[in-house]
Amino acid sequence: NEIVRNITFMDLTETAANIIWTQSFMLAFTTKMLHSESEWLGYQTSFYFIGSIVGGSAVLLLLRTFSQNAGKVIIVSSLTVAIASLIYTFNTSPILALLINFVIGFPYQIRDVMQQSLIQEKADNKTIGRVLAIRDISISLIYIISLIIGGIIGELFGIRLVYFMASLIYIIVSFIIANNDNVRNYSM
């Protein structure tokens, strides 16, 4: 199914960028770029999850609207994460970092719910188990390789470059998906 393939491509590509939200990368960013103590990492994580809860609640409250515009919701959510990640990359304020983490959690949760629903709806009942298993294995493999590469880049060139590269990945994927008619025009 082409739309499942496009969404899977999006997830697999963004998996390489998602390493910046692991605790080790965020701790390095918090201490080196935000010049803050390690407890600010916990605050940022809390704000991300608060944003995720609000995003999940928004899906429940606005399910009909989101479902009718699922493709556009995925695109806008992805672009919001991309822009917020880029702002985070150049941020030096721990207070602004809290707000950015909330902003990232909100659309990421909305997009994730829409994508999972889309995959479950579009994948054939006979193959959905295999589709999800292969997808999860691929995501794990890409994530592990990306962690190693990101760690090396961060060590050699600094943590900010890792965040900048991840932001570029988010931006590029957002534009590729936005230009995909199957995703853009998708409604449930």
PDB file of all heavy atoms in Angstrom, residues 15 23 29 34 39 41 51 55 58 64-65 67 71 73 75 79 84 101 105 107 157 159 161-162 168 170 172 174 176:
ATOM      1  N   THR A  15      13.340   8.580  12.419  1.00  0.00           N
ATOM      2  CA  THR A  15      13.964   7.825  13.499  1.00  0.00           C
ATOM      3  C   THR A  15      15.416   8.257  13.677  1.00  0.00           C
ATOM      4  O   THR A  15      15.907   8.363  14.804  1.00  0.00           O
ATOM      5  CB  THR A  15      13.878   6.306  13.222  1.00  0.00           C
ATOM      6  OG1 THR A  15      12.500   5.934  13.268  1.00  0.00           O
ATOM      7  CG2 THR A  15      14.644   5.505  14.240  1.00  0.00           C
ATOM      8  N   GLN A  23      17.766  10.702  26.407  1.00  0.00           N
ATOM      9  CA  GLN A  23      18.234  11.375  27.619  1.00  0.00           C
ATOM     10  C   GLN A  23      19.709  11.782  27.533  1.00  0.00           C
ATOM     11  O   GLN A  23      20.078  12.854  28.004  1.00  0.00           O
ATOM     12  CB  GLN A  23      17.992  10.479  28.842  1.00  0.00           C
ATOM     13  CG  GLN A  23      16.524  10.154  29.073  1.00  0.00           C
ATOM     14  CD  GLN A  23      15.668  11.396  29.244  1.00  0.00           C
ATOM     15  OE1 GLN A  23      15.944  12.239  30.082  1.00  0.00           O
ATOM     16  NE2 GLN A  23      14.634  11.508  28.437  1.00  0.00           N
ATOM     17  N   PHE A  29      23.030  18.465  25.732  1.00  0.00           N
ATOM     18  CA  PHE A  29      22.553  19.764  25.257  1.00  0.00           C
ATOM     19  C   PHE A  29      22.218  20.678  26.434  1.00  0.00           C
ATOM     20  O   PHE A  29      22.561  21.860  26.430  1.00  0.00           O
ATOM     21  CB  PHE A  29      21.323  19.590  24.355  1.00  0.00           C
ATOM     22  CG  PHE A  29      20.955  20.836  23.607  1.00  0.00           C
ATOM     23  CD1 PHE A  29      21.479  21.075  22.351  1.00  0.00           C
ATOM     24  CD2 PHE A  29      20.112  21.789  24.160  1.00  0.00           C
ATOM     25  CE1 PHE A  29      21.161  22.234  21.651  1.00  0.00           C
ATOM     26  CE2 PHE A  29      19.792  22.948  23.475  1.00  0.00           C
ATOM     27  CZ  PHE A  29      20.323  23.172  22.216  1.00  0.00           C
ATOM     28  N   LEU A  34      22.557  24.882  27.074  1.00  0.00           N
ATOM     29  CA  LEU A  34      21.668  25.690  27.915  1.00  0.00           C
ATOM     30  C   LEU A  34      22.377  26.148  29.190  1.00  0.00           C
ATOM     31  O   LEU A  34      21.827  26.947  29.948  1.00  0.00           O
ATOM     32  CB  LEU A  34      20.409  24.896  28.283  1.00  0.00           C
ATOM     33  CG  LEU A  34      19.524  24.426  27.123  1.00  0.00           C
ATOM     34  CD1 LEU A  34      18.345  23.621  27.656  1.00  0.00           C
ATOM     35  CD2 LEU A  34      19.045  25.604  26.291  1.00  0.00           C
ATOM     36  N   GLU A  39      18.997  18.757  36.397  1.00  0.00           N
ATOM     37  CA  GLU A  39      17.567  18.667  36.708  1.00  0.00           C
ATOM     38  C   GLU A  39      16.700  19.331  35.632  1.00  0.00           C
ATOM     39  O   GLU A  39      15.533  19.001  35.484  1.00  0.00           O
ATOM     40  CB  GLU A  39      17.215  19.212  38.092  1.00  0.00           C
ATOM     41  CG  GLU A  39      17.679  20.582  38.393  1.00  0.00           C
ATOM     42  CD  GLU A  39      19.044  20.617  39.090  1.00  0.00           C
ATOM     43  OE1 GLU A  39      19.664  19.570  39.303  1.00  0.00           O
ATOM     44  OE2 GLU A  39      19.486  21.723  39.395  1.00  0.00           O
ATOM     45  N   LEU A  41      16.922  18.781  32.599  1.00  0.00           N
ATOM     46  CA  LEU A  41      16.564  17.701  31.691  1.00  0.00           C
ATOM     47  C   LEU A  41      15.225  17.099  32.110  1.00  0.00           C
ATOM     48  O   LEU A  41      14.348  16.871  31.279  1.00  0.00           O
ATOM     49  CB  LEU A  41      17.646  16.619  31.687  1.00  0.00           C
ATOM     50  CG  LEU A  41      17.300  15.314  30.973  1.00  0.00           C
ATOM     51  CD1 LEU A  41      17.041  15.543  29.501  1.00  0.00           C
ATOM     52  CD2 LEU A  41      18.402  14.314  31.183  1.00  0.00           C
ATOM     53  N   GLY A  51       2.841  18.088  27.010  1.00  0.00           N
ATOM     54  CA  GLY A  51       2.432  18.393  25.634  1.00  0.00           C
ATOM     55  C   GLY A  51       1.831  17.175  24.942  1.00  0.00           C
ATOM     56  O   GLY A  51       0.838  17.284  24.223  1.00  0.00           O
ATOM     57  N   GLY A  55      -1.834  16.869  23.522  1.00  0.00           N
ATOM     58  CA  GLY A  55      -2.014  16.477  22.123  1.00  0.00           C
ATOM     59  C   GLY A  55      -2.935  15.279  21.981  1.00  0.00           C
ATOM     60  O   GLY A  55      -3.823  15.254  21.128  1.00  0.00           O
ATOM     61  N   ALA A  58      -6.401  16.392  22.602  1.00  0.00           N
ATOM     62  CA  ALA A  58      -6.920  17.143  21.453  1.00  0.00           C
ATOM     63  C   ALA A  58      -7.426  16.182  20.379  1.00  0.00           C
ATOM     64  O   ALA A  58      -8.456  16.437  19.754  1.00  0.00           O
ATOM     65  CB  ALA A  58      -5.843  18.059  20.885  1.00  0.00           C
ATOM     66  N   ARG A  64     -13.135  13.865  14.846  1.00  0.00           N
ATOM     67  CA  ARG A  64     -13.823  13.964  13.556  1.00  0.00           C
ATOM     68  C   ARG A  64     -13.087  14.930  12.619  1.00  0.00           C
ATOM     69  O   ARG A  64     -12.826  14.617  11.462  1.00  0.00           O
ATOM     70  CB  ARG A  64     -15.264  14.421  13.756  1.00  0.00           C
ATOM     71  CG  ARG A  64     -15.977  14.600  12.413  1.00  0.00           C
ATOM     72  CD  ARG A  64     -17.440  14.832  12.558  1.00  0.00           C
ATOM     73  NE  ARG A  64     -18.044  13.522  12.837  1.00  0.00           N
ATOM     74  CZ  ARG A  64     -19.158  13.342  13.507  1.00  0.00           C
ATOM     75  NH1 ARG A  64     -19.804  14.369  13.983  1.00  0.00           N
ATOM     76  NH2 ARG A  64     -19.640  12.139  13.695  1.00  0.00           N
ATOM     77  N   THR A  65     -12.724  16.099  13.135  1.00  0.00           N
ATOM     78  CA  THR A  65     -12.017  17.094  12.323  1.00  0.00           C
ATOM     79  C   THR A  65     -10.657  16.565  11.892  1.00  0.00           C
ATOM     80  O   THR A  65     -10.272  16.690  10.724  1.00  0.00           O
ATOM     81  CB  THR A  65     -11.838  18.408  13.111  1.00  0.00           C
ATOM     82  OG1 THR A  65     -13.124  18.875  13.508  1.00  0.00           O
ATOM     83  CG2 THR A  65     -11.136  19.457  12.286  1.00  0.00           C
ATOM     84  N   SER A  67      -9.700  13.441  11.664  1.00  0.00           N
ATOM     85  CA  SER A  67      -9.867  12.298  10.756  1.00  0.00           C
ATOM     86  C   SER A  67     -10.176  12.752   9.342  1.00  0.00           C
ATOM     87  O   SER A  67      -9.685  12.171   8.373  1.00  0.00           O
ATOM     88  CB  SER A  67     -10.981  11.387  11.261  1.00  0.00           C
ATOM     89  OG  SER A  67     -10.618  10.808  12.484  1.00  0.00           O
ATOM     90  N   GLY A  71      -4.269  13.635   6.575  1.00  0.00           N
ATOM     91  CA  GLY A  71      -3.019  13.914   5.863  1.00  0.00           C
ATOM     92  C   GLY A  71      -2.472  15.292   6.182  1.00  0.00           C
ATOM     93  O   GLY A  71      -1.285  15.462   6.455  1.00  0.00           O
ATOM     94  N   VAL A  73      -3.149  17.059   8.830  1.00  0.00           N
ATOM     95  CA  VAL A  73      -2.769  17.064  10.251  1.00  0.00           C
ATOM     96  C   VAL A  73      -1.367  16.475  10.412  1.00  0.00           C
ATOM     97  O   VAL A  73      -0.534  17.015  11.144  1.00  0.00           O
ATOM     98  CB  VAL A  73      -3.801  16.294  11.105  1.00  0.00           C
ATOM     99  CG1 VAL A  73      -3.283  16.054  12.518  1.00  0.00           C
ATOM    100  CG2 VAL A  73      -5.125  17.038  11.150  1.00  0.00           C
ATOM    101  N   ILE A  75       1.023  16.403   8.164  1.00  0.00           N
ATOM    102  CA  ILE A  75       1.991  17.335   7.574  1.00  0.00           C
ATOM    103  C   ILE A  75       2.231  18.532   8.493  1.00  0.00           C
ATOM    104  O   ILE A  75       3.379  18.901   8.760  1.00  0.00           O
ATOM    105  CB  ILE A  75       1.516  17.793   6.175  1.00  0.00           C
ATOM    106  CG1 ILE A  75       1.576  16.607   5.215  1.00  0.00           C
ATOM    107  CG2 ILE A  75       2.346  18.960   5.664  1.00  0.00           C
ATOM    108  CD1 ILE A  75       0.830  16.820   3.913  1.00  0.00           C
ATOM    109  N   LEU A  79       5.744  19.442  10.353  1.00  0.00           N
ATOM    110  CA  LEU A  79       6.413  20.718  10.139  1.00  0.00           C
ATOM    111  C   LEU A  79       6.580  21.487  11.449  1.00  0.00           C
ATOM    112  O   LEU A  79       7.615  22.121  11.675  1.00  0.00           O
ATOM    113  CB  LEU A  79       5.632  21.549   9.115  1.00  0.00           C
ATOM    114  CG  LEU A  79       6.366  22.733   8.507  1.00  0.00           C
ATOM    115  CD1 LEU A  79       7.696  22.314   7.901  1.00  0.00           C
ATOM    116  CD2 LEU A  79       5.501  23.392   7.453  1.00  0.00           C
ATOM    117  N   ALA A  84      10.109  23.636  15.528  1.00  0.00           N
ATOM    118  CA  ALA A  84      10.404  23.714  16.964  1.00  0.00           C
ATOM    119  C   ALA A  84      11.772  23.105  17.270  1.00  0.00           C
ATOM    120  O   ALA A  84      12.518  23.632  18.109  1.00  0.00           O
ATOM    121  CB  ALA A  84       9.308  23.020  17.771  1.00  0.00           C
ATOM    122  N   ASN A 101       9.780  22.085  24.335  1.00  0.00           N
ATOM    123  CA  ASN A 101       9.491  20.672  24.552  1.00  0.00           C
ATOM    124  C   ASN A 101       7.995  20.407  24.636  1.00  0.00           C
ATOM    125  O   ASN A 101       7.502  19.392  24.147  1.00  0.00           O
ATOM    126  CB  ASN A 101      10.214  20.156  25.802  1.00  0.00           C
ATOM    127  CG  ASN A 101      11.607  19.695  25.476  1.00  0.00           C
ATOM    128  OD1 ASN A 101      11.788  18.578  25.013  1.00  0.00           O
ATOM    129  ND2 ASN A 101      12.585  20.563  25.666  1.00  0.00           N
ATOM    130  N   GLY A 105       5.958  18.023  22.002  1.00  0.00           N
ATOM    131  CA  GLY A 105       5.143  16.904  22.477  1.00  0.00           C
ATOM    132  C   GLY A 105       3.735  16.925  21.928  1.00  0.00           C
ATOM    133  O   GLY A 105       3.161  15.875  21.587  1.00  0.00           O
ATOM    134  N   PRO A 107       2.232  18.278  18.948  1.00  0.00           N
ATOM    135  CA  PRO A 107       1.977  17.796  17.585  1.00  0.00           C
ATOM    136  C   PRO A 107       2.526  16.392  17.333  1.00  0.00           C
ATOM    137  O   PRO A 107       1.989  15.658  16.506  1.00  0.00           O
ATOM    138  CB  PRO A 107       2.669  18.832  16.692  1.00  0.00           C
ATOM    139  CG  PRO A 107       3.719  19.415  17.554  1.00  0.00           C
ATOM    140  CD  PRO A 107       3.170  19.395  18.952  1.00  0.00           C
ATOM    141  N   PHE A 157      32.308  17.023  16.741  1.00  0.00           N
ATOM    142  CA  PHE A 157      31.960  18.350  16.251  1.00  0.00           C
ATOM    143  C   PHE A 157      31.031  19.141  17.167  1.00  0.00           C
ATOM    144  O   PHE A 157      30.686  20.277  16.860  1.00  0.00           O
ATOM    145  CB  PHE A 157      31.327  18.248  14.857  1.00  0.00           C
ATOM    146  CG  PHE A 157      32.215  17.566  13.858  1.00  0.00           C
ATOM    147  CD1 PHE A 157      31.954  16.258  13.465  1.00  0.00           C
ATOM    148  CD2 PHE A 157      33.317  18.207  13.322  1.00  0.00           C
ATOM    149  CE1 PHE A 157      32.771  15.620  12.552  1.00  0.00           C
ATOM    150  CE2 PHE A 157      34.139  17.575  12.412  1.00  0.00           C
ATOM    151  CZ  PHE A 157      33.868  16.275  12.025  1.00  0.00           C
ATOM    152  N   ILE A 159      27.549  18.900  20.150  1.00  0.00           N
ATOM    153  CA  ILE A 159      26.172  18.440  20.234  1.00  0.00           C
ATOM    154  C   ILE A 159      25.217  19.291  19.391  1.00  0.00           C
ATOM    155  O   ILE A 159      24.239  18.797  18.851  1.00  0.00           O
ATOM    156  CB  ILE A 159      25.711  18.348  21.706  1.00  0.00           C
ATOM    157  CG1 ILE A 159      24.423  17.530  21.832  1.00  0.00           C
ATOM    158  CG2 ILE A 159      25.541  19.725  22.326  1.00  0.00           C
ATOM    159  CD1 ILE A 159      24.604  16.076  21.573  1.00  0.00           C
ATOM    160  N   LEU A 161      25.629  20.478  16.454  1.00  0.00           N
ATOM    161  CA  LEU A 161      25.596  19.994  15.074  1.00  0.00           C
ATOM    162  C   LEU A 161      24.645  18.796  14.942  1.00  0.00           C
ATOM    163  O   LEU A 161      23.915  18.696  13.951  1.00  0.00           O
ATOM    164  CB  LEU A 161      26.995  19.607  14.587  1.00  0.00           C
ATOM    165  CG  LEU A 161      27.060  19.085  13.144  1.00  0.00           C
ATOM    166  CD1 LEU A 161      26.573  20.136  12.152  1.00  0.00           C
ATOM    167  CD2 LEU A 161      28.467  18.632  12.801  1.00  0.00           C
ATOM    168  N   VAL A 162      24.629  17.926  15.933  1.00  0.00           N
ATOM    169  CA  VAL A 162      23.724  16.780  15.905  1.00  0.00           C
ATOM    170  C   VAL A 162      22.279  17.273  15.883  1.00  0.00           C
ATOM    171  O   VAL A 162      21.452  16.777  15.102  1.00  0.00           O
ATOM    172  CB  VAL A 162      23.964  15.844  17.108  1.00  0.00           C
ATOM    173  CG1 VAL A 162      22.965  14.696  17.125  1.00  0.00           C
ATOM    174  CG2 VAL A 162      25.390  15.305  17.106  1.00  0.00           C
ATOM    175  N   LEU A 168      17.267  19.386  10.274  1.00  0.00           N
ATOM    176  CA  LEU A 168      17.223  19.351   8.807  1.00  0.00           C
ATOM    177  C   LEU A 168      16.502  18.105   8.301  1.00  0.00           C
ATOM    178  O   LEU A 168      15.737  18.182   7.335  1.00  0.00           O
ATOM    179  CB  LEU A 168      18.635  19.422   8.223  1.00  0.00           C
ATOM    180  CG  LEU A 168      19.337  20.769   8.310  1.00  0.00           C
ATOM    181  CD1 LEU A 168      20.735  20.679   7.698  1.00  0.00           C
ATOM    182  CD2 LEU A 168      18.531  21.858   7.619  1.00  0.00           C
ATOM    183  N   TYR A 170      14.122  16.497   9.891  1.00  0.00           N
ATOM    184  CA  TYR A 170      12.690  16.745  10.116  1.00  0.00           C
ATOM    185  C   TYR A 170      12.108  17.657   9.038  1.00  0.00           C
ATOM    186  O   TYR A 170      11.020  17.417   8.526  1.00  0.00           O
ATOM    187  CB  TYR A 170      12.458  17.408  11.480  1.00  0.00           C
ATOM    188  CG  TYR A 170      12.592  16.505  12.678  1.00  0.00           C
ATOM    189  CD1 TYR A 170      13.296  16.944  13.795  1.00  0.00           C
ATOM    190  CD2 TYR A 170      11.996  15.257  12.739  1.00  0.00           C
ATOM    191  CE1 TYR A 170      13.413  16.152  14.928  1.00  0.00           C
ATOM    192  CE2 TYR A 170      12.111  14.460  13.864  1.00  0.00           C
ATOM    193  CZ  TYR A 170      12.817  14.908  14.959  1.00  0.00           C
ATOM    194  OH  TYR A 170      12.926  14.125  16.075  1.00  0.00           O
ATOM    195  N   ILE A 172      13.268  18.279   5.920  1.00  0.00           N
ATOM    196  CA  ILE A 172      13.258  17.623   4.607  1.00  0.00           C
ATOM    197  C   ILE A 172      12.112  16.616   4.518  1.00  0.00           C
ATOM    198  O   ILE A 172      11.366  16.594   3.531  1.00  0.00           O
ATOM    199  CB  ILE A 172      14.622  16.942   4.333  1.00  0.00           C
ATOM    200  CG1 ILE A 172      15.694  18.020   4.112  1.00  0.00           C
ATOM    201  CG2 ILE A 172      14.540  15.992   3.137  1.00  0.00           C
ATOM    202  CD1 ILE A 172      17.116  17.503   4.141  1.00  0.00           C
ATOM    203  N   SER A 174       9.350  16.609   6.215  1.00  0.00           N
ATOM    204  CA  SER A 174       8.078  17.350   6.197  1.00  0.00           C
ATOM    205  C   SER A 174       7.736  17.821   4.790  1.00  0.00           C
ATOM    206  O   SER A 174       6.586  17.708   4.352  1.00  0.00           O
ATOM    207  CB  SER A 174       8.146  18.554   7.136  1.00  0.00           C
ATOM    208  OG  SER A 174       8.270  18.144   8.469  1.00  0.00           O
ATOM    209  N   ILE A 176       8.932  16.557   1.912  1.00  0.00           N
ATOM    210  CA  ILE A 176       8.689  15.399   1.044  1.00  0.00           C
ATOM    211  C   ILE A 176       7.264  14.890   1.235  1.00  0.00           C
ATOM    212  O   ILE A 176       6.540  14.650   0.272  1.00  0.00           O
ATOM    213  CB  ILE A 176       9.715  14.271   1.332  1.00  0.00           C
ATOM    214  CG1 ILE A 176      11.100  14.688   0.825  1.00  0.00           C
ATOM    215  CG2 ILE A 176       9.273  12.956   0.686  1.00  0.00           C
ATOM    216  CD1 ILE A 176      12.222  13.752   1.244  1.00  0.00           C
TER     217      ILE A 176
END
